[in-house]
Amino acid sequence: MRVPLIAGNWKMNKTISEAVAFAQELKLLAPFPGVEVLICPPYPALAPVAEVLAGTEIALGAQNVHWEDAGAFTGEVSPPMLKAAGCRYVIIGHSERRQYFGETDEIIQRKLKAALRHDLIPILCVGESLEVRERGGTFDLIAKQLEGALSGIGEEEIKELVIAYEPVWAIGTGRNARPEDAQEVNCFIRDWLARRYSPVKAGSWRIQYGGSVTPDNAAELLAQPDIDGALVGGASLKVESFAAIIRAAAKAKGA
């Protein structure tokens, strides 16, 4: 059985002191039976938050990574740096990285390979714009994103992989996909992975939903058979709402 992964993507929010205070408060609520919990603070807060989370089951992740181990790449952070800071996961290919920083499928593929090479678990984000959805191009676009990101990466290279379906039109807008629509896309992703790799691997890898996930809609979304957790944005910035989503995941998956 796939353990649901509830991940908080804080984006460009929280100072170091605010991040540490959040981690301390969340730590008091642990453990979270039947659910894996992950928080992804901004870079400056990674190491301080890792110290707070030491000895707990709460995982730490980064929001981005460079594909090289070191070099003249001003402003970038490498996989070894993330590992040294205490990260287990890294988000790759988020729509905001694609939109605002021009990340292409080729760049995302290089980052994915780098993460896997250093035993960081990638959370690969895919998703369509409202324009693409309205013209019926959702599946074609997501297949293209998956193919681009996983091109040249063999099954033997992937110890663990998480896919996050994040419809761009639902991120930070207050709109979210209907549970049945999110399930349809997540099922498509799993079928694609089964054809590309194997049904066994596809059945073991987790596929999240992200896009205005809140305590109010989490239970219905997470009750879907192919939604194995959530990549949470705004609602992950407050312990109360994030914890409510974690509880909803546990209940929805029968933990």
Side-chain angles (χ1 to χ4, degrees):
M1 181 178 177
R2 298 182 298 269
V3 176
L5 174 64
I6 302 299
N9 176 18
W10 292 358
K11 307 188 180 184
M12 197 173 69
N13 292 290
K14 295 192 184 296
T15 62
I16 292 174
S17 61
E18 290 169 342
V20 166
F22 181 104
Q24 289 170 334
E25 191 174 348
L26 185 65
K27 180 179 176 178
L28 294 176
L29 301 178
F32 303 101
V35 180
E36 185 175 3
V37 176
L38 164 68
I39 53 176
C40 300
Y43 287 141
L46 287 174
V49 168
E51 290 186 20
V52 175
L53 299 182
T56 75
E57 294 182 354
I58 302 170
L60 184 70
Q63 301 174 22
N64 186 33
V65 68
H66 197 269
W67 58 83
E68 294 288 353
D69 291 356
F73 302 100
T74 300
E76 293 293 335
V77 176
S78 71
M81 293 174 185
L82 296 184
K83 290 286 286 187
C87 289
R88 185 174 177 223
Y89 287 86
V90 60
I91 299 169
I92 294 175
H94 192 280
S95 64
E96 289 157 4
R97 299 294 312 175
R98 297 176 190 257
Q99 179 180 354
Y100 300 130
F101 301 97
E103 291 196 2
T104 62
D105 289 336
E106 180 184 1
I107 289 172
I108 291 163
Q109 188 262 5
R110 294 171 77 179
K111 292 184 175 189
L112 192 64
K113 283 183 73 74
L116 292 169
R117 190 169 66 247
H118 289 278
D119 292 325
L120 286 164
I121 301 171
I123 299 177
L124 171 63
C125 299
V126 297
E128 83 284 16
S129 66
L130 184 59
E131 178 189 359
V132 170
R133 183 168 191 83
E134 288 181 340
R135 70 166 187 258
T138 295
F139 295 148
D140 287 343
L141 178 67
I142 287 176
K144 177 180 178 293
Q145 290 174 333
L146 290 169
E147 179 62 42
L150 293 166
S151 175
I153 299 177
E155 183 177 323
E156 70 283 354
E157 297 177 70
I158 306 174
K159 293 181 181 178
E160 195 168 348
L161 174 68
V162 178
I163 306 288
Y165 167 53
E166 289 200 307
V168 177
W169 49 270
I171 298 174
T173 63
R175 299 179 60 182
N176 64 291
R178 295 181 304 171
E180 58 269 29
D181 293 336
Q183 163 61 23
E184 183 181 32
V185 176
N186 279 31
C187 182
F188 170 82
I189 293 170
R190 199 174 306 282
D191 287 345
W192 189 96
L193 292 169
R195 293 192 302 272
R196 175 61 180 267
Y197 294 106
S198 71
V200 172
K201 284 290 187 182
S204 67
W205 291 333
R206 290 173 290 186
I207 306 173
Q208 298 175 301
Y209 170 78
S212 297
V213 177
T214 69
D216 293 331
N217 61 32
E220 196 174 7
L221 285 162
L222 293 165
Q224 303 301 311
D226 286 296
I227 298 181
D228 306 316
L231 185 56
V232 186
S236 72
L237 296 175
K238 293 184 178 179
V239 172
E240 296 81 4
S241 54
F242 191 51
I245 293 171
I246 295 168
R247 290 193 295 270
K251 185 176 181 181
K253 299 302 183 183

